[in-house]
């Protein structure tokens, strides 16, 4: 296959390219798609993708209009997850829809980002690689509409909140949340952005709103236990009182930091 050749866009007409992902029931088959040009002055039906490029020195080939296009492994995983078995899906994805070798085009397309993300049917985010602890937290929130994760762990209050802090930090430290464009893309979306990871799909805002509430509740729970003198032991052996105090302070600091670090 030949490398992809891009047609010129008319910046005065607010033109962009959209990628239509061709359906395939076999997930192992290469990703195939086609590009077409539209004007943002007209009504367009597409999803705008939000993701981390990843290492651009390593690429995986996809087929676009029967031409080879090398995309990053992270984007390739995203496109495969987006592909439907029986129906086309149309998206705007910067890495493919913008001619990355054409600097003037890149600059003019960046100027259209506001319109692209605000006109899209939805913004779909790809979280990339997440630690198992982060996935466990997401899956629990997805399966349980009510309640607090730390109360479900089976640990005592100290162990439960330490585990909550570990899982939450694994989620909040993911590279995607620290990407420059992430929150701009979220806030431009007409609807709540949807985040995908593997086969899991969740609403970003709901996850972080619940996590924020849970961190505050956990902190209050520790304070109440201190006041009531009912704080349980770390194991079966009562720790030294000084050690207990330091553990409590450490937990409070972890939760305070978590509240500040949760993407909002």
């Amino acid at each position: 296959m030949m490398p992809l050749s891009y047609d010129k866009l008319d910046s005065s007409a607010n033109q962009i390219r959209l990628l239509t992902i061709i359906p395939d029931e076999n997930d192992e088959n290469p990703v195939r798609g086609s590009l077409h040009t539209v004007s943002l002055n007209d009504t367009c039906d597409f999803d705008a993708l939000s993701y981390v490029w990843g290492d651009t020195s390593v690429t995986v080939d996809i087929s676009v209009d029967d031409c080879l296009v090398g995309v990053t492994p992270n984007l390739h995983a995203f496109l495969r997850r987006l592909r439907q078995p029986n129906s086309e899906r149309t998206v705007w994805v910067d890495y493919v829809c913008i001619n990355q070798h054409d600097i003037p085009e890149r600059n003019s397309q960046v100027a259209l980002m506001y319109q692209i993300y605000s006109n899209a049917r939805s913004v779909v985010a790809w979280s990339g690689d997440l630690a198992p602890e982060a996935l466990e937290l997401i899956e629990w929130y997805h399966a349980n509409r009510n309640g607090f994760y730390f109360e479900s762990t089976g640990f005592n209050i100290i162990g439960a909140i330490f585990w909550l802090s570990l899982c939450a930090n694994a989620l909040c430290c993911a590279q995607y949340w620290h990407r420059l464009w992430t929150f701009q893309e979220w806030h431009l979306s007409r609807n709540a952005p949807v985040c995908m990871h593997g086969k899991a799909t969740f609403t970003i805002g709901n996850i972080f709103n619940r996590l924020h509430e849970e961190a505050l509740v956990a902190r209050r729970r520790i304070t109440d236990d201190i006041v009531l003198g009912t704080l349980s032991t770390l194991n079966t052996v009562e720790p030294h009182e000084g050690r207990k105090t330091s553990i409590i302070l450490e937990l409070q600091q972890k939760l305070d930091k978590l509240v500040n670090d949760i993407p909002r």
Side-chain angles (χ1 to χ4, degrees), residues 2-3 8 36-38 68 89 97 101 113-114 127 135 156 166 183 191 194 213 237:
M2 297 288 293
K8 285 291 184 180
H36 62 281
T37 300
V38 298
L68 287 180
R89 187 161 193 173
C97 294
H101 301 293
M113 291 291 189
Y114 178 91
S127 58
L135 289 175
N156 60 36
L166 177 68
F183 293 98
N191 302 302
V194 172
E213 179 186 5
V237 179

Side-chain angles (χ1 to χ4, degrees), residues 30-63:
V31 174
R32 296 184 301 124
S34 62
L35 287 175
H36 62 281
T37 300
V38 298
S39 170
L40 289 171
N41 298 334
D42 302 323
T43 301
C44 308
D45 189 23
F46 66 96
D47 296 320
L49 305 190
S50 178
Y51 66 104
V52 175
W53 275 21
D55 186 358
T56 58
S57 67
V58 180
T59 60
V60 181
D61 286 338
I62 65 172
S63 172

